[in-house]
Amino acid sequence: MNTKKFLSLFYKRKKNLPDWNKIPIEEINSNRKKSFLIATSSGGLLSPLVFESLLGVSLKSRGHDVEFLLCDGVLSACIMCTSRDIDEETYKKNGPKQICNACFINAYNFLKPTKIKIKTLSDYLNSKDRILIDNLNLENKTTQELREFSFENSSIGEHAYAGVLRYYGVAELDINSISKKIFIEYVKSGVKTYLACNKLFHEKKYDEIVLNHGIYIPQGVINLAAKEQKINITNWVAGIRKQSFCLTRGDTYHRSLIYEDNNNWQNISFNKQIDERIEKYLLSRRHGKNDWVFFHKNPTFDPDKLLKEMKVDLNKPIIGLPTNVIWDARINFPANFFESILEWIFYTIDYFSKRDDIQLLIRVHPAEVNSTKPAEQRIKDEIFKKYKSLPPNVFIVDAENNISTYPLFDKCNSIILYGTKMGIELPVKNIPVIVCGEAFV
């Protein structure tokens, strides 16, 4: 018996999760039965766990064949870990061991009452796989080689690098003996995930794979392995708006929404009712009252006062620059001109330093400080590392500043951005937007 499954017998059910023992489930037979794998993988992500359990039960009740996939502590680095939770010395030595039991066992005990089969990554790994991974000689590879590392034509290194940046909360990895070792463990965990999923997908032919995120380790590699086997994939994340979810086919939404077929939305027949609904929601965004995700508890709405204090010249054009969290979703976008958001910001500041006829107003994303995963590398700090002093026409509004970004940008003549979702909202207000990165607008 799997050790962690045995230990699950002695764990009490997590009280803040729904109890499937108390929820009646009626099943119907279906002539259109499909086989689904819901690859939850990281059971410690409680919100995805609840949504995916509901999805699994819903599909099962409609007569479909459903299975769950969980990591049971076999990975030496994963999405669950951040440097705030596990310091790098401990992580280098023990990986995520201190959270593995809680991550797997709570999820396993939560899902068991659904009576849906639960598969684990360790079921599909053996000693030969460990030898194969050891023989990859990852320790002898450079950082760039690790970033570009491909296993059986699947870009494991891309997701491993995104994962290690997420762990540290930074845009670029400061390479030393500890950080490189942690990076290598992400790559090894990616290979383990790929090997396990490859065997699983050969053992059983699934019609559909459902998974959260679609990037990082292990989710990004599960996505790659499913693609390799030409299995239909649905990636999902919770939406910003309350009671909404974003589901995309074939890839993470970070890419899918950029490369989607324009026919998906160009032929929508808009009318007054739809327009009013959109306008009403966008107006509510200023206070976040209809959103799950909002970064200001009590935002202020006096941009004139702030701009006066900062000595911004209201007689000259103002170009707003909203940043995004620099560590988030650092995967490859082939069409990108810039290597990273920092490179783009520096390029933009240099440009404005030669244009005293216009002004640049940088609004640092409040999620750098007001989120569950604050950034360890801050954009303002990086700017002042490079520039002893800013050009007189460049201004920064800190992440800590509680002013709402919306009225601030109402004062701008146009907006230049890299990857923030504000690129979707601002054009509705007839504010010109220039996209320089991977924003899906």
Side-chain angles (χ1 to χ4, degrees), residues 119-176:
K119 295 193 171 182
T120 61
L121 289 178
S122 70
D123 294 337
Y124 297 91
L125 293 169
N126 55 39
S127 58
K128 289 182 179 179
D129 297 319
R130 286 189 286 273
I131 293 170
L132 184 154
I133 292 170
D134 289 340
N135 288 338
L136 293 173
N137 295 317
L138 296 172
E139 289 74 13
N140 296 326
K141 295 187 181 297
T142 65
T143 305
Q144 190 60 33
E145 287 172 335
L146 290 171
R147 287 185 65 175
E148 297 172 355
F149 179 76
S150 180
F151 183 79
E152 295 188 3
N153 297 317
S154 291
S155 52
I156 307 291
E158 174 188 9
H159 293 282
Y161 190 62
V164 72
L165 294 181
R166 187 180 192 276
Y167 166 75
Y168 280 109
V170 298
E172 299 292 341
L173 192 61
D174 182 14
I175 290 296
N176 54 50

Side-chain angles (χ1 to χ4, degrees), residues 7 15 79 86 120 139 141 145 162 164 168 187 190 203 213 219 229 245 247 254 271 300 321 342 351 358 385:
L7 290 173
K15 290 184 179 180
I79 193 175
I86 305 176
T120 61
E139 289 74 13
K141 295 187 181 297
E145 287 172 335
V164 72
Y168 280 109
V187 177
E203 174 188 272
H213 286 80
Q219 288 90 336
Q229 298 302 317
F245 297 89
L247 292 90
H254 299 91
N271 54 40
T300 60
L321 187 158
L342 285 177
Y351 174 80
I358 54 178
K385 280 181 187 177

